């Protein structure tokens, strides 16, 4: 489309109409830009030649092509500090002899005295609509450098409080997801496999960190043992990820139990909720299982 | 007991008999000393005034009083590096462009080229009969500095291999346990609590790290929300720990499924084991639950 804004062959009124149309189009473009989704990728692999790097690059490319703004926190390249220490706080420590990281960082956050590297990550998080954590699974969990990111960036007050937890959490309007590679085959992470059910292994990460802060948690993207796969199979995994990324922002999240189903004192399931589920075969989630069978795929697929 | 080794009123033969008795006693004492248990405490709290510090000190005192040799790795005091990087390897990286921490550190371990801080921790681990991990639970898991210890010290080859896993693992003659504080109340970590069943949260740590390397895993010592408790209640928790420590070395470990119950190809439960448990109400462990109810207290109490 092209506009001839000033054509001497047209009367002045026509010029005004055309200018108005141009202004309207600019407004639409500006609005589109401001409502474009912002994505933060927290990436934890040492090598740019790795499968994790390729998965990260695929996410950047596909999401950008959809008009998203994508920011990457490349933790190893940033030499991100993974230990929660008093150095994370500027100025005085209130109780140096009985140092509590939780309490001191909460106070520092309230007073704008957190270290610059933490504040920078918190700003990125505040701006993001979707956060993707891309990492190789180390020891049934995230690598130490990413655990350090969770420990240090998700400060009390900033990311959660006693009043703002889970479905009523600080980040309840944001989405987050884990995207990771395993060393083990898929069969090993089943309810009859030697490593046990992957749904169990994911609970502390997806419920205990992401959903605890309110995030709507999208199903994890699991790349099963790419180091044991052929180059073609690895390529196929990446293609699957690219396809998924195209619809990622419209995906429904995993199911958790809403916070108002628990009482405010001991955070126990309210009797009426319990009664409503009496006699059912399956529990509500992997963790809130009520002594029943775990709901199938609860931490792996939306709506389970 | 006292010996009068040289009494001129006794004949020479009596002296020889007494000397022989003294030598035998020395031998017994020396043997006792060499068979005394060695304990490694991997401790991750920033403050010497913390409840975790008190729990660590209690363990050192009680175990030493029982004749154990106790070594403490005080991770924050050591400024322990928590990130898995190429700096952990002395000399050349074999595949710098496609760096694999797992493969490169395995090779470095085989060739004695791991960094000194890792080697030092590995030596402590090799010598230990029992390892106690003392930490405050951060985000349903260990703090980043302790995750870094697991990531870096439990090197492939040193701590596990495809042939040496789980009940046939490298450390199958050693014991290990988690001892930790929570921020949440016990009620929140139940199968009807907002955080979900603590047995689920413990699975990745106790099965995925400790038992994966072969450790016999002792029941965890959980100090529920000491920061919310009165000084008297905290004191009571520590007394309970001191009492437990006196019998700790004789405790039976948690139950896991022996490795030979799984086939060698996909590490799936063998059909005969599956059949043997057909029709039963509960699964075998929290992770290997066979689609059934989780066995109660499986990750919290021995023999469950």
């Amino acid at each position: 489309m092209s506009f001839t804004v000033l054509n001497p062959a047209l009367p002045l009124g026509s010029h005004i109409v055309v200018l108005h149309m141009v202004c309207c189009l600019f407004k639409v473009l500006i609005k589109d830009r401001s409502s474009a989704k912002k994505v933060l990728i927290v990436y934890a692999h040492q090598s740019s030649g790795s499968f994790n790097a390729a998965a990260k690059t695929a996410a950047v490319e596909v999401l950008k092509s959809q008009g998203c703004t994508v920011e990457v926190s490349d933790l190893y390249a940033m030499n991100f500090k993974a230990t929660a220490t008093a150095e994370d706080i500027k100025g005085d420590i209130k109780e140096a002899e009985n140092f509590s990281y939780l309490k001191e960082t909460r106070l520092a956050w309230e007073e704008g005295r957190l270290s610059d590297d933490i504040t920078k990550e918190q700003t990125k998080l505040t701006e993001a609509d979707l956060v993707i954590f891309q990492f190789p699974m180390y020891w049934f969990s995230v690598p130490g450098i990413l655990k350090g990111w969770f420990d240090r960036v998700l400060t009390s007050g900033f990311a959660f409080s006693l009043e703002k937890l889970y479905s009523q959490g600080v980040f309840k309007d944001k989405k987050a997801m884990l995207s990771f590679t395993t060393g083990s085959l898929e069969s090993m992470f089943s309810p009859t496999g030697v490593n046990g059910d992957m749904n169990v292994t994911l609970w502390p990460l997806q419920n205990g960190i992401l959903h605890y802060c309110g995030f709507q948690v999208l199903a994890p993207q699991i790349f099963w043992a790419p180091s044991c796969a052929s180059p073609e199979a690895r390529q196929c995994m990446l293609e699957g990820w690219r396809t998924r990324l195209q619809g990622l922002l419209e995906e429904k999240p995993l199911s958790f139990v809403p916070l108002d189903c628990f009482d405010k004192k001991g955070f126990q399931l309210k009797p009426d909720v319990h009664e409503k589920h009496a006699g059912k075969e399956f529990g509500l989630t992997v963790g809130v299982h009520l002594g029943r069978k775990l709901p199938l795929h609860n931490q792996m697929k939306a709506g389970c």
Side-chain angles (χ1 to χ4, degrees), chain A:
Chain A
M1 193 192 296
S2 70
F3 291 92
T4 308
V5 178
L6 286 172
N7 183 341
L10 292 171
L12 189 60
S14 302
H15 281 302
I16 290 168
V17 169
V18 170
L19 276 168
H20 179 71
M21 286 171 65
V22 171
C23 287
C24 287
L25 185 69
F26 273 13
K27 277 183 192 164
V28 167
L29 285 172
I30 288 163
K31 197 175 171 218
D32 263 5
R33 182 178 278 265
S34 68
S35 69
K37 297 292 182 187
K38 289 186 177 174
V39 181
L40 171 62
I41 301 178
V42 183
Y43 163 69
H45 199 287
Q46 303 91 343
S47 169
S48 60
S50 65
F51 186 91
N52 272 275
K56 179 257 295 173
T57 302
V60 172
E61 285 176 6
V62 176
L63 292 167
K64 276 193 176 172
S65 77
Q66 294 192 312
C68 294
T69 309
V70 184
E71 178 134 35
V72 178
S73 285
D74 183 342
L75 299 188
Y76 287 102
M78 291 156 70
N79 197 20
F80 191 78
K81 179 173 173 279
T83 56
T85 68
E87 290 161 25
D88 294 349
I89 297 152
K90 295 176 184 178
D92 289 343
I93 301 298
K94 297 290 163 188
E95 284 190 74
E97 295 220 345
N98 190 13
F99 179 77
S100 158
Y101 189 80
L102 183 92
K103 289 182 192 167
E104 296 284 348
T105 51
R106 184 181 177 114
L107 195 65
W109 172 74
E110 284 168 356
E111 296 174 356
R113 294 189 293 108
L114 283 174
S115 65
D116 293 342
D117 65 336
I118 294 178
T119 304
K120 210 167 167 181
E121 294 305 298
Q122 290 183 341
T123 304
K124 293 179 194 171
L125 199 45
T126 302
E127 289 175 356
D129 300 295
L130 167 66
V131 188
I132 301 175
F133 297 93
Q134 180 67 54
F135 59 95
M137 180 168 266
Y138 280 8
W139 291 111
F140 285 48
S141 186
V142 298
I145 200 166
L146 180 50
K147 184 59 173 52
W149 191 95
F150 289 133
D151 292 349
R152 296 179 65 234
V153 176
L154 301 178
T155 311
S156 170
F158 167 72
F160 68 94
S161 68
L162 256 187
E163 297 74 39
K164 292 187 175 179
L165 283 179
Y166 290 116
S167 61
Q168 294 166 24
V170 174
F171 302 137
K172 65 185 163 59
D173 297 324
K174 299 180 189 298
K175 290 174 179 173
M177 69 173 289
L178 306 179
S179 174
F180 61 95
T181 55
T182 66
S184 297
L185 302 171
E186 186 170 3
S187 61
M188 295 166 79
F189 270 113
S190 81
T192 52
V194 73
N195 293 345
D197 187 354
M198 178 59 94
N199 286 278
V200 171
T201 285
L202 289 172
W203 175 261
L205 292 167
Q206 296 190 150
N207 177 74
I209 305 178
L210 303 184
H211 190 55
Y212 190 94
C213 298
F215 283 111
Q216 299 167 48
V217 186
L218 300 183
Q221 178 72 21
I222 309 181
F223 302 103
W224 298 103
S227 63
C228 303
S230 67
E232 294 73 26
R234 285 202 293 275
Q235 200 53 43
C236 194
M237 290 184 202
L238 286 173
E239 285 307 319
W241 177 221
R242 283 181 172 273
T243 304
R244 183 181 171 192
L245 279 159
Q246 286 165 17
L248 195 68
L249 290 158
E250 285 73 47
E251 281 188 14
K252 290 198 172 165
L254 302 176
S255 292
F256 294 92
V257 184
L259 188 67
D260 59 10
C261 291
F262 299 90
D263 66 51
K264 287 281 175 193
K265 205 177 161 197
F267 287 95
Q268 279 286 303
L269 209 62
K270 290 178 180 168
D272 61 318
V273 184
H274 219 157
E275 276 162 28
K276 204 176 145 193
H277 289 272
K280 295 208 173 156
E281 190 179 4
F282 295 97
L284 296 170
T285 59
V286 165
V288 189
H289 58 69
L290 317 175
R292 306 205 190 120
K293 293 177 185 175
L294 304 189
L296 295 174
H297 314 302
N298 170 249
Q299 293 295 300
M300 306 272 276
K301 289 183 185 170
C304 294

